[in-house]
Amino acid sequence: MLSKICTLLIALCMASPLMAQQKVSYSLSFPNAVHHEAEISVTFSGITTDTLKVLMSRSSPGRYALHEFAKNVYNVKANDSQGKALKTPKATPQQWNITGHNGTATITYTLFGDHADGTYAGIDQTHAHLNMPATLMYAKGFEKVAATVAFNTPEGSNWKIATQLKHEQGNTYSAPHFQYLMDSPTELSNFDTAEWTIRDKGKEKTIQVTLHHNGTKEQFNEYVQKTKQIVAEQRAVFGELPDYDFGRYTFIGCYMPQASGDGMEHRNSTIVTSSQPLAKAMTGLLNTVSHEYFHSWNVERIRPKSLEPFNFQQANMSESLWLAEGFTSYYGDVIMPRSGVINAKAYAEGLAGDLNYVLLSPGRRYHSLVEMSQQAPFVDAARSVDAVNRHNTFVSYYPYGAMLGLALDLTLRQNYNKTLDDYMQALWRKYGQPEKPYTLTNLQETLAEVSGDKAWADNVFQDFVNGSHLPDYTPLLAQAGFELRKAKPGVATLGHPGLEFTKNGATITTGTTVTDPIYKAGLDRTDIILTLDGRKIRKEKDLEKVLKSHKPGDAIPVTYSSHGASKNATITLAEVPLLEIALYENIGKELTPAMQQFRNNWIGSKVKE
């Protein structure tokens, strides 16, 4: 036994110098940016195995589906430290096995990137927009090794570098380990930039805004000022900012015509993208800023155990996205009126949209809120070539979780003299600050502690989280002088399928919904409505005329073509189920001082002047 221990100690002593010499160095250049290509090299030093297994990621932090980033990599070559060419056979679609090295191997490859969003890479003559899992190869055995990244900007480009990576010198940055590297998106462009410093809990913390856009300086300044207001209100929710690893948080924005709309959270940064300019979409873009910044507390540090550690070779499933994403959506929205970016009426309109989606979607009859969260690998920017039935079976955990957050916030205020802010602060103290991943049981226990009512907390998780129920929102919203009511009482509908009108009829372009009259009558996608109540349906106005001549409950004949066969059916019309939220003061109802105070406490500013 003693002999075995001595042998092990000797082996460890011999291995430690090799471990100390392990290095990872990347270099990125963009000689063919106009055609969306980057030339990338990575050197792994101190290799301790005969075979170096080099991979491209299949998933990305903040996304839960597979994306197969290796599909955009080609011209893969390898050399040892003496320049000797090494073979690069593929072991899997995303893994290359490098043998014959001398302890060091340099891999070079070309990356194609033409999709600037929070998940992929977008490269052209105006910028290099890089999500690292879509950009950088990595090697097994080097996950805990620090990495340097040198960005070689095109000559004369005026590109600057926006990233949460640690700045070393010049255009060279570093990451302490693989997980941080993969979590560090980077934008290289001639962007506008602004920053400010906040004294928080005795520490100086810098907030930086970088924005690649075509707007004016005045529009950028307005964007920065409103972002400051959002940051201040979110800080008030938790009472403090997170401790950013290098003292800085960076908003990395790209609002260019070639960008795709997205927002993606990261530990010390967020990347927000849109094809819409500031002049046209300022408020919506800021709403994404609000959502993503709240993530720097909720999911980056208040983090579900089911996402730790993040697996870059598999889809990542969690039962808690209703809180990680849903509650973040709730706060992303409610911070907008709190920060003065929108007023109460605009907030109520947005809230009505979410409530309509959640309350009227049939998906809750199939899955609980937990199960909706677990559907993320199938829906979170996932790709599917076959038709799916998600319009009937799925309710997004974003608005669904947000509406649970709304219900809890209003109930805590009504019955317990507490708020959802108190709940989030408790989660921050218990799990966020110490960065201790939570479980569903932890969330339930904390709600019981904050409310002081274990039975209520248990029922919330039984009925709303692990079940599919939701409370009555009408009395909850009435506390703030918000009236939830029917938007179109007495108006008839056959449902809301996608319709394409031609001289041949109205083709149903989407799957029909199980709660709609048209579904119950047996019509589905690709069917062509020929006549309704004896009238030919060739234009939208034809349909409108028929519906206006009837009331909910009327049964009317329909003729349609299904897979080439003519068919007849009867549709029993329903009432348009849409809801709206009206402010009491706008509909002639009394807004009492108590209601006004409740509203102020809920969606008014929390920042102390």
Side-chain angles (χ1 to χ4, degrees):
M1 183 67 181
L2 182 60
S3 174
K4 290 182 179 179
I5 294 174
C6 291
T7 301
L8 178 60
L9 289 173
I10 291 171
L12 289 173
C13 290
M14 293 178 65
S16 59
L18 291 174
M19 292 295 290
Q21 295 169 13
Q22 282 193 310
K23 295 180 181 179
V24 182
S25 302
Y26 294 89
S27 178
L28 289 78
S29 302
F30 310 93
N32 196 24
V34 67
H35 293 299
H36 317 293
E37 287 184 340
E39 298 300 327
I40 302 173
S41 71
V42 53
T43 299
F44 298 99
S45 304
I47 303 169
T48 60
T49 57
D50 292 338
T51 300
L52 179 69
K53 298 177 180 179
V54 178
L55 303 97
M56 283 296 292
S57 297
R58 305 181 68 207
S59 56
S60 181
R63 288 261 101 102
Y64 308 101
L66 292 178
H67 297 283
E68 307 297 3
F69 298 119
K71 66 182 178 291
N72 287 322
V73 168
Y74 43 93
N75 292 335
V76 178
K77 300 176 183 178
N79 295 281
D80 67 12
S81 62
Q82 302 301 315
K84 173 188 171 184
L86 305 173
K87 293 182 179 180
T88 59
K90 270 197 167 186
T92 70
Q94 59 278 339
Q95 180 177 315
W96 294 259
N97 287 351
I98 313 298
T99 59
H101 58 78
N102 59 357
T104 296
T106 297
I107 296 89
T108 62
Y109 58 98
T110 302
L111 173 77
F112 179 84
D114 190 21
H115 193 81
D117 69 351
T119 307
Y120 297 94
I123 303 162
D124 57 47
Q125 63 270 39
T126 73
H127 73 160
H129 180 93
L130 308 173
N131 182 42
M132 292 311 178
T135 304
L136 300 182
M137 288 185 173
Y138 68 96
K140 290 186 177 180
F142 283 78
E143 290 86 354
K144 296 182 180 180
V145 179
T148 60
V149 186
F151 298 101
N152 303 302
T153 57
E155 187 175 352
S157 65
N158 295 321
W159 285 6
K160 301 183 285 287
I161 301 167
T163 183
Q164 70 173 29
L165 292 168
K166 182 183 179 184
H167 184 236
E168 295 296 339
Q169 60 180 0
N171 285 356
T172 299
Y173 293 76
S174 69
H177 47 70
F178 164 72
Q179 286 275 343
Y180 193 89
L181 176 67
M182 290 291 113
D183 192 45
S184 300
T186 301
E187 166 81 20
L188 288 76
S189 62
N190 187 21
F191 51 73
D192 283 335
T193 184
E195 64 180 48
W196 64 98
T197 300
I198 299 171
R199 185 75 176 174
D200 183 66
K201 301 293 184 181
K203 298 180 180 179
E204 297 287 338
K205 300 176 181 179
T206 299
I207 308 295
Q208 181 183 45
V209 176
T210 65
L211 199 60
H212 182 212
H213 70 121
N214 288 328
T216 66
K217 193 68 175 178
E218 290 74 21
Q219 290 165 350
F220 174 70
N221 290 339
E222 179 186 353
Y223 179 91
V224 171
Q225 179 55 43
K226 290 180 177 178
T227 299
K228 283 185 179 180
Q229 294 163 212
I230 289 168
V231 169
E233 287 296 339
Q234 295 199 6
R235 178 190 180 193
V237 171
F238 291 97
E240 63 180 344
L241 298 173
D243 280 337
Y244 307 123
D245 292 302
F246 306 114
R248 177 184 297 268
Y249 184 93
T250 303
F251 291 96
I252 305 171
C254 179
Y255 301 147
M256 295 290 286
Q258 68 269 40
S260 298
D262 201 0
M264 189 57 58
E265 71 276 5
H266 298 277
R267 184 169 172 83
N268 301 304
S269 67
T270 184
I271 199 155
V272 288
T273 58
S274 177
S275 61
Q276 299 296 308
L278 291 175
K280 185 177 180 180
M282 178 78 76
T283 300
L285 298 175
L286 287 167
N287 189 265
T288 302
V289 164
S290 181
H291 177 101
E292 300 305 331
Y293 187 59
F294 197 82
H295 271 315
S296 64
W297 289 272
N298 189 33
V299 88
E300 287 300 327
R301 292 166 175 85
I302 305 173
R303 192 161 177 81
K305 190 174 182 180
S306 48
L307 291 180
E308 283 296 307
F310 190 84
N311 190 321
F312 289 86
Q313 291 300 316
Q314 295 182 11
N316 288 259
M317 186 181 77
S318 174
E319 74 295 323
S320 299
L321 297 186
W322 58 271
L323 184 132
E325 295 289 359
F327 278 28
T328 297
S329 291
Y330 172 69
Y331 274 101
D333 292 343
V334 83
I335 291 297
M336 297 292 279
R338 288 186 186 180
S339 60
V341 177
I342 64 173
N343 58 25
K345 183 175 183 294
Y347 176 67
E349 290 172 353
L351 201 58
D354 284 343
L355 279 171
N356 272 303
Y357 170 69
V358 173
L359 294 176
L360 302 181
S361 295
R364 287 190 296 121
R365 66 178 66 182
Y366 298 100
H367 298 294
S368 70
L369 189 48
V370 161
E371 291 168 336
M372 294 300 182
S373 296
Q374 292 170 332
Q375 294 287 308
F378 303 131
V379 298
D380 185 54
R383 300 290 184 263
S384 178
V385 297
D386 60 326
V388 296
N389 198 30
R390 298 209 174 277
H391 56 284
N392 279 318
T393 63
F394 179 70
V395 182
S396 171
Y397 43 84
Y398 283 85
Y400 193 173
M403 293 306 93
L404 176 59
L406 168 70
L408 295 188
D409 198 359
L410 298 181
T411 303
L412 284 166
R413 293 170 185 275
Q414 180 184 56
N415 297 337
Y416 301 102
N417 196 30
K418 295 290 183 178
T419 71
L420 199 64
D421 293 8
D422 294 317
Y423 181 58
M424 297 309 297
Q425 288 171 18
L427 292 177
W428 175 244
R429 290 190 302 269
K430 293 175 67 175
Y431 304 104
Q433 286 176 330
E435 300 205 38
K436 175 185 175 184
Y438 64 77
T439 65
L440 275 180
T441 299
N442 297 146
L443 297 179
Q444 183 172 338
E445 291 170 347
T446 304
L447 185 62
E449 293 166 6
V450 169
S451 66
D453 188 341
K454 183 178 182 300
W456 174 71
D458 290 349
N459 286 335
V460 165
F461 275 77
Q462 177 181 312
D463 295 341
F464 303 156
V465 177
N466 293 303
S468 301
H469 301 287
L470 281 174
D472 183 356
Y473 285 93
T474 301
L476 291 175
L477 289 166
Q479 300 173 93
F482 282 17
E483 180 169 291
L484 180 64
R485 62 186 189 180
K486 294 180 179 179
K488 296 182 177 181
V491 177
T493 182
L494 51 74
H496 294 87
L499 293 174
E500 182 179 306
F501 295 91
T502 70
K503 64 180 180 179
N504 297 321
T507 301
I508 302 173
T509 59
T510 61
T512 54
T513 303
V514 298
T515 51
D516 283 349
I518 197 168
Y519 179 100
K520 295 173 182 177
L523 282 72
D524 209 334
R525 186 173 65 88
T526 74
D527 290 346
I528 304 171
I529 300 174
L530 304 174
T531 68
L532 192 62
D533 198 26
R535 184 186 186 95
K536 290 182 178 180
I537 306 298
R538 295 174 177 174
K539 297 178 293 185
E540 189 171 3
K541 287 185 178 179
D542 296 333
L543 176 61
E544 290 174 353
K545 287 180 180 179
V546 172
L547 293 176
K548 285 181 179 179
S549 66
H550 288 279
K551 63 183 183 296
D554 286 356
I556 60 176
V558 58
T559 63
Y560 65 101
S561 174
S562 181
H563 304 297
S566 296
K567 295 190 174 184
N568 299 291
T570 299
I571 294 180
T572 301
L573 300 177
E575 183 179 56
V576 173
L578 290 177
L579 304 169
E580 65 181 6
I581 297 176
L583 275 61
Y584 274 28
E585 62 268 32
N586 293 341
I587 57 174
K589 296 187 73 170
E590 181 187 5
L591 179 68
T592 67
M595 291 175 182
Q596 183 66 68
Q597 186 61 48
F598 188 98
R599 187 189 298 178
N600 291 343
N601 291 339
W602 172 33
I603 61 173
S605 176
K606 303 295 184 292
V607 175
K608 296 179 180 179
E609 299 294 338

